[in-house]
Amino acid sequence: MKIIIAGGGIAGLALAKMLIEGGLEACVFERASVLAPRGAGITLSANALRALDVLGLGEEVRRAGNPITQFGIDDPQGRVLSGTDMTALRPSMAGYLPVAIQRSVLHDILSRGLAATNLRLGHELLGVEQTADSVKVAFAQGESASGALLVGADGIRSRVRQLVFGQPEWRYSGQRCFRGICPSVESGAGRGPGAFFETWGQGRRFGHVQVGQGQTYWYATLAQPEQQLAAPLDASQVAQLFAGVHPAAAEHIAATPPSRLLDEGLYDVAPTPAWSRGRVCLLGDAIHPTTPNMGQGAGMALESAVVLGALLLRRGDLQQALQTFERIRFPRTSLVTRRSWNIGRMTSWSSSAACALRNGLLRSAPPKSFGQQLVRFACADFAQSLVALPHADGARR
């Protein structure tokens, strides 16, 4: 059974690695001529690391990234609204600490070892044709490929989804997001390299965390109407916007090379339970994109890749495998999409009265509550998904 994978992102590469090592034939077709993932840094919670362990890559990712030992939220005056010592929660995390890593480094780890025959760059997908026995894809370069299954792992703007399922309705979150990678600076008084803190202001938020190799990942969100996204902002303007939110914001932004400064609106797609049609299946952001407010975009992609890979490696009935995949994954991914959307709305509040109420509620909650909720989610339902894995016994727990 040959599997065609459209998209060389986190989900597509993870699925290809799992299938090939399990003895199936799989090939990733990526539109870009060079693997250069869009993005800056990324945080990987316990569930994402568990999936990477199944792929045999967990330890390498831990070494390449930076463990997160503290997570918290401040207000612009530097007062802690919520803080969690992640090392104190470690027993409930089954021995896992979250890891922050550069997206490009994670991408390199996932793609390393894939032969040129399994990773084809510069292939823009144009068309999809299905028969009862196979699926055929055509590329702009005049080439084509056929297989038993096409997996669309080509992101939120998925060409596969548009061609086979129709145009989805992208939802603008109301947030414009700036991100970058810069040389590491001190994260704050009394906070070491494992500290990951966000500052919540009025319609603005700033976060930063070290990602290993002497680098820091920072991001800043701005509540803004969609029609204003087209107006470009340079680094000095971005620094000025967030100078009043966090004292180190301007320093981080100024230290970021222009090529590593990203500016984009945050979108998702409302959850839908239909993930496959005939011999075409969607994976990762192509079917369950989420805003980054829970830090679970990569986690959901890795979980889904591992579960789909496990079901395909059973070499049973293809349609049954795809239906099982939808049934296992839809409840969890849709929960992330909804929760992340709601968190983003709350962090985007601009009213001083609303922000004072929000901050008061955070400050009055038990010290560990916010971090514990994230940890409980990261350590929860993925265990149920793992029952499908045929070779998970040797993976780290």
Side-chain angles (χ1 to χ4, degrees):
M1 182 167 61
K2 180 179 179 180
I3 312 298
I4 301 169
I5 302 170
I10 290 173
L13 293 174
L15 177 63
K17 178 176 175 60
M18 188 166 183
L19 294 178
I20 292 167
E21 293 190 352
L24 288 180
E25 184 180 358
C27 186
V28 176
F29 292 92
E30 165 59 38
R31 179 177 60 180
S33 57
V34 177
L35 274 184
R38 180 171 176 79
I42 195 168
T43 56
L44 301 169
S45 297
N47 55 315
L49 294 170
R50 180 69 175 86
L52 288 163
D53 282 338
V54 172
L55 297 172
L57 300 174
E59 292 305 323
E60 186 176 0
V61 168
R62 290 178 179 90
R63 290 193 300 269
N66 180 53
I68 298 172
T69 56
Q70 290 179 278
F71 174 77
I73 301 168
D74 294 340
D75 68 12
Q77 288 71 47
R79 296 171 297 199
V80 176
L81 301 176
S82 179
T84 301
D85 179 356
M86 306 301 285
T87 60
L89 298 176
R90 201 164 180 175
S92 67
M93 295 172 69
Y96 285 80
L97 281 177
V99 169
I101 190 171
Q102 294 184 62
R103 184 177 287 269
S104 59
V105 173
L106 175 62
H107 214 78
D108 287 344
I109 292 172
L110 287 168
S111 61
R112 196 177 304 145
L114 287 181
T117 54
N118 302 122
L119 179 57
R120 306 288 302 279
L121 303 179
H123 281 68
E124 180 181 0
L125 189 146
L126 287 185
V128 178
E129 294 182 10
Q130 295 193 65
T131 68
D133 302 317
S134 68
V135 57
K136 180 179 179 180
V137 293
F139 302 101
Q141 296 72 16
E143 297 183 49
S144 63
S146 298
L149 175 68
L150 167 63
V151 177
D154 46 347
I156 186 172
R157 308 284 178 175
S158 170
R159 178 70 61 82
V160 174
R161 182 169 187 167
Q162 293 174 36
L163 289 172
V164 179
F165 297 80
Q167 181 75 40
E169 182 178 348
W170 297 308
R171 303 188 301 181
Y172 176 55
S173 68
Q175 295 174 291
R176 182 174 184 171
C177 186
F178 306 91
R179 316 180 213 224
I181 295 281
C182 67
S184 293
V185 297
E186 290 297 323
S187 57
R191 294 174 182 169
F196 177 17
F197 271 74
E198 290 188 347
T199 302
W200 290 8
Q202 292 180 223
R204 293 175 295 172
R205 174 176 49 158
F206 183 83
H208 57 114
V209 62
Q210 294 190 29
V211 290
Q213 302 182 7
Q215 302 292 304
T216 289
Y217 164 50
W218 64 266
Y219 55 91
T221 63
L222 173 68
Q224 193 172 71
E226 187 174 17
Q227 59 268 27
Q228 295 183 22
L229 296 179
L233 296 175
D234 60 29
S236 62
Q237 291 172 309
V238 177
Q240 186 176 4
L241 274 172
F242 292 93
V245 180
H246 191 282
E251 182 180 0
H252 284 81
I253 296 166
T256 302
S259 62
R260 306 204 74 174
L261 177 61
L262 302 177
D263 173 5
E264 59 187 359
L266 298 181
Y267 292 81
D268 74 0
V269 175
T272 175
W275 291 20
S276 62
R277 183 166 294 174
R279 292 182 173 271
V280 178
C281 177
L282 300 175
L283 178 67
D285 283 351
I287 186 60
H288 52 71
T290 177
T291 54
N293 300 296
M294 284 183 67
Q296 280 291 344
M300 293 300 99
L302 287 165
E303 285 187 14
S304 291
V306 166
V307 172
L308 178 59
L311 291 167
L312 294 176
L313 287 174
R314 287 181 168 182
R315 295 170 171 81
D317 180 77
L318 178 60
Q319 294 306 315
Q320 183 177 357
L322 298 180
Q323 291 169 13
T324 301
F325 176 55
E326 293 175 12
R327 177 176 54 79
I328 290 176
R329 296 298 300 151
F330 176 71
R332 182 161 166 83
T333 58
S334 59
L335 178 63
V336 168
T337 300
R338 290 193 299 269
R339 283 187 180 178
S340 187
W341 181 270
N342 291 333
I343 292 172
R345 302 285 283 191
M346 182 174 61
T347 64
S348 297
W349 289 349
S350 299
S351 159
S352 57
C355 290
L357 175 62
R358 176 197 67 194
N359 293 356
L361 291 173
L362 277 173
R363 193 180 292 114
S364 63
K368 297 179 180 179
S369 61
F370 193 81
Q372 282 180 329
Q373 288 179 31
L374 295 178
V375 168
R376 278 198 297 269
F377 176 83
C379 295
D381 295 347
F382 188 37
Q384 178 182 351
S385 298
L386 290 175
V387 299
L389 296 177
H391 57 277
D393 293 341
R396 175 174 171 170
R397 297 184 185 279

